[in-house]
Amino acid sequence: MSVRPWRDIVRRPSRQIMVGNVPVGGDAPVTVQTMTNTPTSDAVATIDQIRRCEDAGVDIIRVSCPDVESTAALKGIVRASRVPIVADIHFHYKRALEAADAGAACLRINPGNIGSSARVKEVVNAAKANGCAIRIGVNAGSLEKDLLEKYGEPCPEALVESALDHIKLLQDHDFHEFKVAVKASDLFLAVAAYQQLAEAVDCPLHLGITEAGGFVGGTVKSAIGIGSLLWFGIGDTIRVSLSAEPEEEVRVGFEILKSLGIRNRGVRVVSCPSCARQGFDVIRTVQALEDRLQHIRTPLSLSVLGCVVNGPGEARETDIGLTGGGNGKHMVYLSGVTDHTVEDADMLDHIVTLVEAKAAELEASGAAAQAA
């Protein structure tokens, strides 16, 4: 039994597929995805955006392919990207064929809107020939007319039935390298649909609350919806849909995973909301530290608290701690132990240096353990 059983998450068993060189499902880590918003036909702009997402830690990136100019540019984009590329296809099955030939690691399609069974078979054959996975994307905003007539409105049962129908289209052509999403902007609807689908299939599930909103509102909705499902053990790959830059989606995705202890990357900051007792400007300090520590990928923890009420207790649980003191002199903790003080003027640079040194130490320790 775990030392802290209240933190345990029992993950739903699923079979594993490969998206390029990234495993999805099974015992693979939950992956974080985003989607570019540049015209895919503008390869330079798209690759530049992909680079920013890679720096933020993205595992898989989706690009829209609405026209032949986009699929023509895709080959160069795939070649330049350091992570697998998913081609987003709607309606035009030929775009799917072109994207598969251009090196896309995965095709995001709704088999039902690709056209006839013969066209679905063509797409499946192209995916097989090029080693592509397929992501079935069901969305409450674009459910099939017959399902809307049957159920009267988008509901969990309608989303799941649509997903199962699409799965059958692929399985009828002996294709099994797929993952499925049943997204909705209504987080209650999305969560219920994913729960039902998780009971019905063994394929990997791609989580998302679609059209979630702007940075703040969308982050809250996504954290509640995606976080609830992950807490239930459901979900193998996630995309946080925000009206914000794609790299921000990546950062929010990792914060959701970090909060649940599912996957750790970079610095986990524990900080107080601040009050009149604070010995330094906590809000601005945390903002500056988060900005300056984005390059750290090694998992470690940092507590930043404005006073001695909770500061020492939180510092005992983190790798590095900073607690506000009087007269512009603040206490620094290393591995939970009181170590030294730092002056206001030197505080930011000093904490950044300590975090970078700790990250290097952990990286070296990990490398030595692997070598042993």
Side-chain angles (χ1 to χ4, degrees):
M1 178 178 277
S2 169
V3 175
R4 298 181 179 88
W6 62 88
R7 291 185 182 175
D8 291 348
I9 293 175
V10 179
R11 193 165 167 193
R12 160 188 169 267
S14 70
R15 55 190 175 79
Q16 189 174 98
I17 68 169
M18 296 298 295
V19 177
N21 60 356
V22 174
V24 174
D27 59 357
V30 176
T31 56
V32 176
Q33 302 190 28
T34 188
M35 186 173 183
T36 58
N37 56 33
T38 52
T40 306
S41 54
D42 185 344
V44 173
T46 302
I47 291 166
D48 182 60
Q49 197 168 71
I50 288 171
R51 285 285 176 269
R52 296 199 300 275
C53 295
E54 289 171 341
D55 290 342
V58 76
D59 299 299
I60 299 168
I61 293 183
R62 179 157 49 113
V63 303
S64 183
C65 292
D67 47 45
V68 69
E69 290 79 13
S70 297
T71 51
L74 190 61
K75 190 170 186 177
I77 292 168
V78 167
R79 191 164 50 241
S81 177
R82 295 192 287 264
V83 298
I85 296 295
V86 177
D88 191 77
I89 310 294
H90 288 278
F91 305 112
H92 302 292
Y93 82 102
K94 286 188 177 179
R95 301 294 86 78
L97 306 182
E98 293 158 1
D101 288 341
C106 181
L107 305 174
R108 188 276 191 195
I109 62 171
N110 281 344
N113 71 25
I114 287 295
S116 65
S117 177
R119 287 184 174 180
V120 173
K121 184 175 182 179
E122 279 194 68
V123 172
V124 166
N125 288 343
K128 287 180 178 179
N130 291 282
C132 286
I134 288 178
R135 199 258 278 186
I136 295 170
V138 176
N139 194 304
S142 56
L143 275 172
E144 296 90 325
K145 185 179 178 181
D146 64 314
L147 291 176
L148 287 175
E149 290 175 352
K150 177 179 179 179
Y151 292 99
E153 65 174 2
C155 62
E157 292 75 15
L159 288 169
V160 171
E161 185 170 332
S162 177
L164 295 177
D165 287 346
H166 289 142
I167 287 170
K168 187 176 185 304
L169 284 173
L170 296 185
Q171 291 178 331
D172 285 347
H173 296 292
D174 194 28
F175 190 86
H176 308 281
E177 297 300 300
F178 58 82
K179 50 192 170 119
V180 185
V182 281
K183 294 185 179 182
S185 59
D186 178 336
L187 67 89
F188 294 96
L189 172 55
V191 169
Y194 276 111
Q195 288 175 318
Q196 289 187 23
L197 186 63
E199 296 279 330
V201 299
D202 69 347
C203 61
L205 298 183
H206 170 92
L207 303 188
I209 305 300
T210 195
E211 288 100 36
F215 184 78
V216 175
T219 293
V220 172
K221 282 180 69 173
S222 297
I224 294 170
I226 295 173
S228 296
L229 288 164
L230 291 170
W231 202 342
F232 298 149
I234 296 169
D236 304 287
T237 183
I238 68 173
R239 190 259 173 119
V240 178
S241 298
L242 302 176
S243 298
E245 293 304 319
E247 57 266 34
E248 296 302 328
E249 294 187 348
V250 178
R251 294 186 183 108
V252 172
F254 271 105
E255 287 300 324
I256 292 171
L257 296 179
K258 283 160 66 175
S259 295
L260 291 166
I262 290 172
R263 187 173 172 194
N264 292 310
R265 179 190 185 277
V267 183
R268 178 176 63 86
V269 178
V270 176
S271 61
C272 68
S274 80
C275 69
R277 291 189 302 267
Q278 65 182 353
F280 57 88
D281 187 337
V282 173
I283 293 172
R284 252 56 64 182
T285 298
V286 170
Q287 288 173 342
L289 286 171
E290 288 183 333
D291 183 59
R292 292 181 60 178
L293 296 174
Q294 284 185 16
H295 66 290
I296 302 293
R297 300 194 175 197
T298 305
L300 59 91
S301 54
L302 167 68
S303 58
V304 182
L305 284 95
C307 75
V308 295
V309 174
N310 293 319
E314 293 293 352
R316 280 195 296 270
E317 304 298 322
T318 53
D319 295 302
I320 298 167
L322 173 67
T323 296
N327 301 318
K329 187 175 285 189
H330 316 298
M331 184 57 65
V332 176
Y333 303 76
L334 300 179
S335 300
V337 178
T338 305
D339 194 82
H340 60 274
T341 59
V342 63
E343 301 282 346
D344 259 333
D346 305 319
M347 184 174 64
L348 274 175
D349 289 342
H350 185 65
I351 296 299
V352 170
T353 299
L354 288 175
V355 171
E356 289 175 337
K358 183 66 176 180
E361 174 193 327
L362 293 170
E363 287 171 12
S365 175
Q370 268 195 329

